[in-house]
Amino acid sequence: MTSTEPGFQRCALCQVEIQVEGSTSDRVIFSRGTPGTRSKLWARVCQYLKSDEQKQQCINQDPALRGTPQPGDGFEEISAIQLGDGGAA
């Protein structure tokens, strides 16, 4: 973990910036899109880390700081669609 200035944290792994506003209301600044929460960051990025080394670098591994997942944090599962006519040429 690295810090850029007081009140901000930047993850050395994914480079996301977290504006520390309190234990349950931290604001996550993504590289694109609107700001979000630690639970949104977890649902979209942090939960997919594979190695212990990656997890040690991640600034969003503490469940107490993430809070309860909210609707819309993760990406929606969608049904598979069939493209083309389905027959072999």
Side-chain angles (χ1 to χ4, degrees), residues 1-3 9-18 28 30 37-63 65-66:
M1 167 181 55
T2 60
S3 295
Q9 297 176 332
R10 180 179 300 274
C11 180
L13 190 61
C14 71
Q15 297 300 308
V16 73
E17 191 170 84
I18 298 178
V28 176
F30 295 99
T37 61
R38 283 181 177 264
S39 66
K40 186 174 190 175
L41 177 61
W42 174 262
R44 296 187 178 200
V45 181
C46 307
Q47 71 170 324
Y48 298 108
L49 299 176
K50 301 285 185 199
S51 72
D52 288 339
E53 181 182 349
Q54 289 175 327
K55 291 175 185 176
Q56 289 173 352
Q57 293 178 26
C58 179
I59 64 174
N60 198 34
Q61 291 294 305
D62 186 347
L65 294 177
R66 285 197 305 266

